[in-house]
Structures are given as C-alpha cells and as structure tokens.
Amino acid sequence: MRLSLYGMLCVSLLIVPGAGAQEAGEAPAAAETGVIEMDAVVVAGVQPGPGLWKVRRGDHLLYVLGTQSPLPKHITWRSDEVDQVLQIADEVLASPGITVDADVGFFRGLTLLPSAMKASRNPDGQKLQEVLPADLYARWSALKQRYMGRDGGVEKKRPLIAAYQLYTEALSDSGLREGGVIDPVIDAALKQRKMKRTPTLLKLKLEDPRAALADFRKETLKPEDLVCFSRTLDVIERDLPHVAARANAWAVGDWPALRSSSRQDWQQACATAWFNTETARKRGISDVEARMQARWMDVAEGALEKNRITFATLPVWQLVKPGGYLAALQARGYEVEAPE
C-alpha cells in the first residue's frame, strides 16, 4: 500500500516496532461549517496511468514510475509499459520510506501492542473537545459527523491520528483511496518472475521501544499539532475536488497536470508535527526526509552501476520538485528523460 509520509507515521504511531461516543445530531448547514459543497468527480474504468521517466548513464537505464496517492477507487490500471519493463528488469527498487528497527522478538512485540494503543490516545483520557480550541473542535465535529457518523472512539485519539482517520473517510466518500492500484500490479509481475523488491527504507533504530512508547504517551499538544489538524480540515472542507483532480491526472497520464500540482503543504506540516517531539529528539530522529532521500540515492546509484535495466517507484511530487530525487541524480551527471 502506498501512503503519504503523514499516513505512514499515523499507521506506525512513529514508534511501533515492525512498521497503528459523541451523539450525532442534525448536520450543520454548509454555511455554518465552512464546507464547500462541491462534488469530487473521479474517473473510473480502465486507465493508462502516466508514462515512465528514464535515468541513463551509458547503456545502463533506470525506469521510474511516478506514484500518486490517493487514486480513484474504481479504476483498473492498464500497465502495459510497466509490465514490459518488469519482464526485463534486473532489479526492482521499493519506494522510499521509513521503518523502525527495534530489537524485539515476536512475542515481546505483542506485549507492546497495548502500550501502542494507549500512545494513540490523548494523555489522561482526554477527548478532543478538551484539548482543541473551541472553533477548531466545532469544525472537526461537523466534518466528523458528516464522514464518520457515530464513531465515538475517535474522540479519544490524538489530534494527528484523528485527523488522518477523518481524511481517509472523506477520501472514501469522494471515490478515492490510498493504495490498492499500483502495488498489486507490480507484486503480480514480481511473483511471476520470483523476484523481490530491493528495500530502500530508512531504518530508524529504537533501542528501548517500551520506554519510547512511555515517553510518547506523555507528549501533550504542540502548536505544530494544531497546524496539522487545522490544515487537514482545510483539505477536507475545501480541497477534495483538487485532490480528485490530481488523482484523475495520474489515472489518465496527464503529466502537465501532475507537474503543476506540487506536494500539499498540509502533508509537510503534519510530518513536521510528528517529528518535532521530545520523544523523537531524545532518540536522534531528525532530518528524516533528507535521510530518506540519501538512502534511496545510495541504493539507486548502486543499482544503476551494476544493472542494465532497473525499475523503481517514487512519489510524483519527488519527480517534479526542485531538489527532488531525479534532480539530485541529474546533478550527479545522470541523464534524466521525462515521459512524452
């Protein structure tokens, strides 16, 4: 499954080894909530997806598929070009990301699950209404009622986790989803060739996961958390049609539209909120995105040196932004060719 960095952090609670009622009344009117009532129209059926980028040095070639999340729920990806490359690739690189390396066995890991569940909740059993400013909670309450209904358990979650859960529900209602389109196609091709992806994940070492979880449970609300929470609500209230447009652009292979849609600031704000914690600082977890890129670059350059044909996947925004992954390869003397 392809998730944004924000999504990966919410799923893993940042520190989980191996990577986790209010009564509903009448829905407030759109004028009261600030929600813009616009349909997020998404494409369906068989779609071609975008063309591949090419990175060359001599006769060695790296094909790169730009990935996008979310994507339309009801599309079937016509992956002819990717299938052809996967049939001849010497190596397939996994997407960049993070993993927590904690030296725990399987059964000890199971004992940490209750601690992880507690870490996903607000300290001292507080609910969102008690930790959020009144105006922000009012916005949350209206959107939560609209997209999640009577889910009372989410009210006990930390704001970052609650906002992400609400976002995924809003995506689903808009005909969008994170994951389930790209990876199954690649996995099927690799299974046929009995190949596995080469990992490119940045490993974050965690010496004492139980102590880390205990520290994280004590973390209280920060200004960065409020920024992330508020901007996520902004996206749900006003930007879902634009999110759908980006998803559609990937599905139909519209590279000009993909180029013009840079990474959303709210995702960066949320990633910053996750890493700007005392728990992370005490454990030397910093500069994560730069370290993720450096890790991927090391693996990619090694693959380009030894293989005639390599295939990789990277988020679209990293392909088109200044200083992104392909820009860094180009700066090191590789020839980069954009899709037609």
Side-chain angles (χ1 to χ4, degrees):
M1 176 184 290
R2 292 303 308 141
L3 296 173
S4 65
L5 180 57
Y6 177 26
M8 286 190 287
L9 294 170
C10 288
V11 169
S12 67
L13 283 179
L14 179 63
I15 50 180
V16 177
Q22 274 193 321
E23 293 296 323
E26 293 184 358
E32 296 174 349
T33 65
V35 178
I36 296 179
E37 298 285 351
M38 296 174 63
D39 290 331
V41 180
V42 295
V43 299
V46 179
Q47 301 294 339
L52 297 176
W53 291 72
K54 300 179 183 69
V55 180
R56 303 177 188 271
R57 175 164 286 178
D59 60 354
H60 290 209
L61 184 59
L62 168 66
Y63 288 91
V64 182
L65 171 68
T67 59
Q68 160 69 27
S69 185
L71 286 173
K73 271 187 186 179
H74 303 297
I75 64 167
T76 300
W77 177 29
R78 191 177 70 235
S79 55
D80 299 352
E81 184 181 13
V82 168
D83 289 336
Q84 291 171 10
V85 174
L86 289 173
Q87 291 306 312
I88 60 173
D90 301 304
E91 189 173 7
V92 175
L93 307 186
S95 294
I98 57 174
T99 184
V100 178
D101 182 7
D103 187 16
V104 296
F106 174 74
F107 290 105
R108 187 182 171 205
L110 290 179
T111 68
L112 293 173
L113 288 177
S115 294
M117 294 299 293
K118 290 179 182 177
S120 72
R121 303 176 189 139
N122 288 308
D124 302 321
Q126 291 180 303
K127 295 185 177 181
L128 291 175
Q129 189 170 13
E130 300 173 81
V131 300
L132 293 173
D135 58 339
L136 198 55
Y137 181 77
R139 292 174 61 198
W140 152 264
S141 186
L143 290 169
K144 180 250 183 179
Q145 182 174 297
R146 178 178 180 181
Y147 292 111
M148 303 181 76
R150 294 177 177 269
D151 186 339
V154 73
E155 292 287 337
K156 300 177 182 178
K157 298 290 180 67
R158 289 177 178 270
L160 298 188
I161 296 173
Y164 183 71
Q165 288 185 214
L166 177 63
Y167 171 71
T168 58
E169 292 292 340
L171 289 183
S172 182
D173 281 11
S174 301
L176 300 164
R177 66 176 177 178
E178 292 195 311
V181 175
I182 300 170
D183 280 346
V185 172
I186 297 174
D187 290 341
L190 293 180
K191 183 177 181 180
Q192 185 180 42
R193 293 191 61 194
K194 298 180 179 180
M195 291 177 65
K196 293 184 178 180
R197 303 188 211 204
T198 299
T200 66
L201 294 175
L202 170 68
K203 288 185 178 181
L204 302 177
K205 183 67 176 178
L206 199 60
E207 300 293 344
D208 189 342
R210 188 176 296 280
L213 284 167
D215 285 347
F216 188 65
R217 287 201 304 271
K218 299 173 187 174
E219 298 267 356
T220 55
L221 195 68
K222 312 181 304 296
E224 295 90 344
D225 297 339
L226 293 178
V227 171
C228 167
F229 191 88
S230 178
R231 291 189 181 179
T232 303
L233 298 190
D234 289 344
V235 171
I236 299 169
E237 288 171 342
R238 300 177 178 86
D239 201 39
L240 286 177
H242 298 100
V243 174
R246 286 189 287 270
N248 289 343
W250 188 96
V252 302
D254 185 350
W255 263 112
L258 287 172
R259 282 179 177 276
S260 65
S261 60
S262 60
R263 188 186 189 192
Q264 296 142 309
D265 289 342
W266 70 273
Q267 290 183 338
Q268 182 61 55
C270 290
T272 298
W274 272 108
F275 288 120
N276 188 22
T277 65
E278 187 60 27
T279 304
R281 283 192 291 271
K282 283 173 61 176
R283 289 157 180 82
I285 300 175
S286 60
D287 300 322
V288 170
E289 290 208 58
R291 291 162 60 191
M292 281 172 52
Q293 180 168 332
R295 165 66 177 156
W296 186 90
M297 291 284 291
D298 286 344
V299 177
E301 288 197 272
L304 270 162
E305 183 176 348
K306 68 181 179 181
N307 302 324
R308 283 289 308 279
I309 303 292
T310 305
F311 176 84
T313 53
L314 285 172
V316 164
W317 67 273
Q318 280 288 11
L319 299 180
V320 299
K321 79 165 192 172
Y325 288 51
L326 294 192
L329 285 174
Q330 193 168 33
R332 296 187 186 185
Y334 294 91
E335 179 185 346
V336 176
E337 178 183 335
E340 296 181 358

